[in-house]
Amino acid sequence: STDVDSSRLYGQNAAFLATHGGRATMTGARISSSGIGSTGAYGYSKSTYISLKDSSVVTTGNHSAGTAVSARAMMKVENSTVSTTGDSSPAIMIADGGGILIADGGSFTTSGAMSQGIYSKGDVTVTNASVNALNAKAAVLKGNNTLSGTTLEGKETTDTVPYNIVLFSDEKDIGTMGTQHFDVRGGYLISHKGGMFYVTATHGKISLNGTAITMDDPAANLITVAGNDGANGWGTPGRNGGHVELVADNQVLTGNIS
């Protein structure tokens, strides 16, 4: 059956699903899917753990993330290649209920509309990897997310919010979730369309240390802190403004903050 909400929240139709405390370790795996709402590898619920090493994950359907966890599951992806071609199909996703996803090495690529490189409602850590969203934002983030020695790039082609990296909070969480953290050490942040950061409906803390930042549009804002129209579920218009705390160390910054 096809129910994209169940696929996103619980891993229904996933090519590989571990759930309710299941544990899986795979080396040299080849995971692929072509259905709608068919995530490549999905971990659901507390105490669930998936390890992928030297593997490949390919999805071609819409609403089909490459790697995903939710409800406090954990996944580690090492030296692997993850690609998605469908719409609304992030390469790395943490859905409702949070979780931990660690990516060490490898590459993560999306080509569909609204298919971010990283979509996180939890804790994502990416080290020495490449994350490239060819037709979408590089990342949409809530929680504590960290990059180290990583290239993160995106090109938003369809969304009305033309920013590369969004820090947000959900409507139900506004006022209760505290600060969303994005910590970047070294590596590259590249925006092929629009400004780099958009902080909305939350307090965002952006920490940059020796990171090269490139924006193809020289007139775009480096950081925009503002409310939004509510279309993405990021609060109610008129009550969903943002705050930002910026920490820059050994860092060159160019562009407006507004």
Side-chain angles (χ1 to χ4, degrees):
S1 64
T2 298
D3 180 342
V4 295
D5 286 336
S6 293
S7 296
R8 177 175 57 84
L9 296 173
Y10 311 116
Q12 177 175 293
N13 292 336
F16 181 83
L17 172 66
T19 183
H20 290 88
R23 303 180 72 83
T25 299
M26 292 177 280
T27 300
R30 300 293 180 263
I31 300 172
S32 64
S33 73
S34 59
I36 296 172
S38 185
T39 296
Y42 195 110
Y44 173 76
S45 81
K46 182 181 178 181
S47 300
T48 298
Y49 177 75
I50 297 173
S51 172
L52 290 174
K53 186 175 182 179
D54 300 327
S55 297
S56 71
V57 179
V58 178
T59 73
T60 58
N62 294 339
H63 304 281
S64 300
T67 56
V69 298
S70 67
R72 300 169 67 187
M74 180 176 178
M75 183 184 299
K76 186 173 184 179
V77 183
E78 297 179 81
N79 298 321
S80 296
T81 301
V82 177
S83 68
T84 74
T85 57
D87 295 345
S88 302
S89 301
I92 295 171
M93 181 176 78
I94 299 182
D96 294 25
I100 297 173
L101 202 154
I102 299 169
D104 188 356
S107 65
F108 301 80
T109 306
T110 71
S111 58
M114 305 296 288
S115 296
Q116 303 88 9
I118 303 171
Y119 183 92
S120 173
K121 291 186 174 182
D123 299 345
V124 168
T125 300
V126 183
T127 304
N128 298 328
S130 170
V131 181
N132 190 357
L134 298 173
N135 290 292
K137 292 176 175 58
V140 175
L141 307 172
K142 182 175 86 169
N144 299 301
N145 299 280
T146 301
L147 305 181
S148 180
T150 290
T151 297
L152 175 66
E153 60 184 307
K155 181 181 181 180
E156 181 56 74
T157 59
T158 59
D159 196 352
T160 57
V161 183
Y163 297 93
N164 200 42
I165 299 168
V166 176
L167 275 64
F168 78 101
S169 190
D170 292 317
E171 168 72 21
K172 66 180 183 299
D173 293 328
I174 290 176
T176 65
M177 286 299 292
T179 301
Q180 318 311 321
H181 294 264
F182 186 47
D183 187 353
V184 187
R185 305 164 194 166
Y188 301 85
L189 300 178
I190 303 170
S191 175
H192 294 294
K193 185 176 180 181
M196 184 59 71
F197 295 104
Y198 182 54
V199 180
T200 187
T202 195
H203 182 103
K205 182 175 181 180
I206 301 168
S207 300
L208 304 170
N209 188 327
T211 302
I213 297 176
T214 301
M215 296 187 295
D216 288 358
D217 181 357
N221 284 350
L222 175 66
I223 303 174
T224 296
V225 186
N228 65 88
D229 63 8
N232 291 299
W234 303 334
T236 301
R239 295 187 296 166
N240 59 5
H243 303 84
V244 69
E245 181 180 352
L246 175 63
V247 179
D249 186 15
N250 188 31
Q251 189 64 50
V252 176
L253 298 174
T254 303
N256 293 330
I257 300 174
S258 67

